[in-house]
């Protein structure tokens, strides 16, 4: 292994079968050229690599624009611009942090045709989650090979919890509905709905929620009643982080839109327009530089 300090106009080659660092005068950038060098990634299949780093900081970059940048030119689901693996216990594969500014993004994913983010496994959000729309998408139970089934989430300006079930009143028209043991601790501001099933009858809430249960009464005996109770969250986290249905946009987002096309406005009025234009320009420049380097060094060497 050869260790050296790299400057523009200098180059270092650790051997014919190793990775060399060379100055690319085309773009005045440092180029890492793979000369038949291979690495063994976690999937076990050897592949040519442009740079491989091992240490407390395997690869490190500081810049006024992009600290670390990756580009792949091959079609397919496997080639990836940047890959991170955390193979020891409690590692993180990729971490991003940006703390300053109302529109600072720790990680920003973008895709025009595909998914800006795709997660295979559990996802946890520590904090608020906002979205334009959402729901579940599953293989259609009646035709799982050819169709999907899509439903929208139920949404509300309140932090509502919904509970429902069926109960049958006794010979006196009374019934007690048990609720989960955490119900009282989690909820407040209850609302009730009762529907009699199978016969005409009147049903009322005889006693409201108390000690994780409530009582209903019908004017006829042995009536099946479908019930629903909603409660507003009152747990400590919810109490400290109430949803505000209407809020003013911060100064830097005024005059801009989350969904400009829905209001017949151009994409240039999207809140991320400046970021998007910068990314597109950078990607175009990087693609041109990559094509020049491939032509210069030959695809069989890189």
């Amino acid at each position: 292994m050869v260790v050296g300090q790299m400057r523009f106009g200098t180059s270092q080659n650790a051997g014919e079968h190793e990775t060399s660092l060379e100055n690319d005068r085309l773009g005045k950038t440092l180029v890492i050229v793979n000369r038949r060098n291979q690495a063994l990634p976690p999937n076990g299949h050897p592949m040519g690599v442009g740079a491989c780093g091992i240490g407390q900081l395997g690869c490190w970059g500081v810049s006024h624009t992009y600290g670390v940048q990756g580009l792949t030119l091959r079609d397919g689901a496997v080639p990836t611009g940047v890959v991170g693996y955390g193979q020891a216990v409690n590692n993180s594969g990729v971490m991003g942090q940006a703390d300053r500014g109302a529109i600072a993004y720790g990680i920003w994913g973008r895709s025009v045709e595909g998914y800006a983010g795709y997660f295979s496994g559990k996802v946890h959000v520590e904090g608020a989650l906002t979205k334009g729309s959402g729901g579940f998408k599953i293989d259609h139970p009646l035709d799982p090979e050819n169709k999907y089934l899509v439903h929208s989430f139920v949404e509300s300006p309140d932090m509502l919890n919904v509970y429902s079930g069926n109960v049958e009143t006794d010979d006196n028209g009374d019934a007690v509905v048990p609720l989960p043991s955490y119900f009282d601790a989690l909820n407040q501001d209850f609302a009730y709905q009762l529907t009699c099933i199978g016969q005409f009858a009147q049903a009322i809430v005889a006693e409201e929620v108390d000690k994780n249960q409530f009582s209903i009464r019908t004017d006829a005996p042995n009536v099946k009643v479908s019930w629903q109770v909603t409660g507003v969250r009152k747990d400590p986290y919810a109490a400290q982080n109430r949803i505000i249905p209407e809020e003013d946009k911060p100064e830097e987002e005024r005059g801009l839109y989350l969904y400009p096309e829905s209001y017949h406005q151009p994409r240039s009025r999207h809140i991320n327009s400046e970021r998007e234009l910068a990314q597109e320009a950078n990607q175009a420049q990087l693609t041109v530089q990559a094509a020049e380097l491939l032509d210069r060094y030959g695809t069989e060497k890189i």
Side-chain angles (χ1 to χ4, degrees):
M1 176 182 294
V2 179
V3 179
Q5 184 177 15
M6 300 306 302
R7 299 179 183 275
F8 287 117
T10 67
S11 66
Q12 177 176 318
N13 193 337
E16 182 183 2
H17 297 284
E18 301 295 335
T19 297
S20 68
L21 304 177
E22 302 183 6
N23 175 40
D24 168 29
R25 293 178 179 82
L26 295 173
K28 296 182 180 179
T29 58
L30 190 66
V31 181
I32 302 175
V33 182
N34 183 340
R35 301 183 186 281
R36 295 185 293 279
N37 188 30
Q38 290 188 335
L40 192 65
N43 60 19
H45 301 294
M47 64 173 64
V49 295
C52 180
I54 299 175
Q56 289 182 325
L57 291 174
C59 294
W60 185 61
V62 177
S63 171
H64 289 290
T65 52
Y66 305 101
V68 177
Q69 188 167 246
L71 173 71
T72 181
L73 301 175
R74 181 172 296 177
D75 291 338
V78 176
T80 305
V82 176
V83 177
Y85 295 97
Q87 292 190 301
V89 177
N90 296 329
N91 285 175
S92 297
V94 176
M95 177 182 175
Q97 183 169 343
D99 296 323
R100 299 178 61 185
I103 54 174
Y105 303 152
I107 295 177
W108 177 33
R110 183 185 176 209
S111 177
V112 176
E113 297 181 2
Y115 294 92
Y118 192 98
F119 302 91
S120 297
K122 297 185 292 185
V123 177
H124 174 74
V125 178
E126 185 177 336
L129 173 66
T130 57
K131 58 184 178 56
S133 65
F136 74 72
K137 179 179 181 180
I138 62 173
D139 298 314
H140 199 298
L142 299 181
D143 190 0
E145 293 187 1
N146 300 299
K147 292 183 179 180
Y148 291 114
L149 182 64
V150 182
H151 278 185
S152 173
F153 291 144
V154 176
E155 299 172 347
S156 151
D158 303 307
M159 303 174 79
L160 285 182
N161 292 316
V162 181
Y163 306 82
S164 62
N166 297 310
V167 69
E168 186 171 328
T169 59
D170 59 18
D171 292 341
N172 297 319
D174 296 318
V176 175
V177 178
L179 297 165
S181 59
Y182 53 79
F183 186 91
D184 281 353
L186 182 62
N187 297 285
Q188 63 184 3
D189 301 335
F190 311 121
Y192 309 83
Q193 292 188 31
L194 304 176
T195 303
C196 297
I197 300 175
Q199 58 180 298
F200 291 105
Q202 291 183 328
I204 63 169
V205 175
E207 295 182 7
E208 292 200 58
V209 172
D210 183 41
K211 297 180 181 178
N212 303 311
Q213 66 180 32
F214 71 99
S215 300
I216 66 174
R217 180 174 299 123
T218 56
D219 62 351
N222 309 119
V223 177
K224 185 177 182 180
V225 178
S226 179
W227 59 267
Q228 178 177 289
V229 177
T230 61
V232 177
R233 283 179 57 184
K234 68 173 185 180
D235 57 279
Y237 182 85
Q240 295 169 9
N241 297 274
R242 285 293 174 205
I243 291 176
I244 302 174
E246 297 179 294
E247 61 182 48
D248 293 331
K249 291 183 177 181
E251 186 65 32
E252 59 268 32
E253 294 183 12
R254 292 187 181 180
L256 303 177
Y257 297 79
L258 290 170
Y259 311 101
E261 297 85 354
S262 298
Y263 294 91
H264 308 291
Q265 298 293 324
R267 186 66 184 179
S268 60
R269 298 193 66 181
H270 190 277
I271 63 169
N272 280 330
S273 177
E274 185 177 350
R275 275 193 176 102
E276 291 175 349
L277 291 174
Q279 288 293 95
E280 289 168 359
N282 175 67
Q283 184 176 352
Q285 181 183 16
L286 187 60
T287 302
V288 171
Q289 288 180 337
E292 292 174 341
L293 293 173
L294 289 171
D295 181 66
R296 174 180 173 182
Y297 291 103
T299 56
E300 74 281 355
K301 294 182 180 180
I302 297 181

